[in-house]
Each structure stands twice: as structure tokens, then as C-alpha cells.
Amino acid sequence: MTAAPTLLDRAAIEARLPHREPFLFLDRIVVLELAGERPSITGEWRVPPEAHFFRGHYPGNPVTPGVILCEHAFQVGALLLAELG
């Protein structure tokens, strides 16, 4: 399986969103379709195994907290709105 091409990299994302480390949960955009009735976007984030939230969220069996996953989705959505704007 080949990786999808990067349409927007981290630098391009940072140029469009105010978020920064450690609160930027988006590494790249691989799908960005703005035409038509249903614009769509697909973002990727490589969750670092040493992320601070893993230390206390089910130690020994770490799970990414749902609020972090929601924030990732919100950041991707904000980027889509920025591109549509």
C-alpha cells in the first residue's frame, strides 16, 4: 500500500491554524476536496508514543483520551473551514 501524497504539510498547517506544540494534533492533510456540495478533508496525526497524556491515562495499557481525538477532528475541521473561507 502506498502512502497518500501530502497536500498540506505541518508548516502549511501552522500557517493556517493558530495551534502550536504541544496542542497541535495534525501533521498533514492527505485529502482536500473543496468543489461540489460536500467538501471533504482527511488529516493525519502520528501520535507520539511518549505523549504526556499516556503517562496517566490507563498506565500500562495507554489509550488516547477521547477529548484529544475530538480536538484532532476539530483542528481538521477548522482547517477545512479556513480553506473554504
Side-chain angles (χ1 to χ4, degrees):
M1 173 186 252
T2 59
T6 299
L7 299 177
L8 296 175
D9 63 9
R10 186 69 174 241
I13 291 166
E14 287 182 355
R16 290 162 172 81
L17 295 180
H19 302 77
R20 296 295 180 267
E21 285 295 331
F23 210 75
L24 180 56
F25 305 127
L26 185 56
D27 290 326
R28 67 189 196 124
I29 299 298
V30 296
V31 173
L32 182 58
E33 309 236 347
L34 302 177
E37 285 186 35
R38 294 179 180 243
S40 66
I41 189 168
T42 301
E44 292 182 350
W45 174 44
R46 187 194 71 75
V47 182
E50 68 281 353
H52 70 282
F53 48 79
F54 286 138
R55 288 195 313 260
H57 200 253
Y58 299 96
N61 190 24
V63 175
T64 304
V67 69
I68 300 292
L69 297 174
C70 288
E71 180 61 28
H72 164 73
F74 296 147
Q75 290 178 16
V76 174
L79 191 62
L80 178 60
L81 291 175
E83 292 298 307
L84 289 170

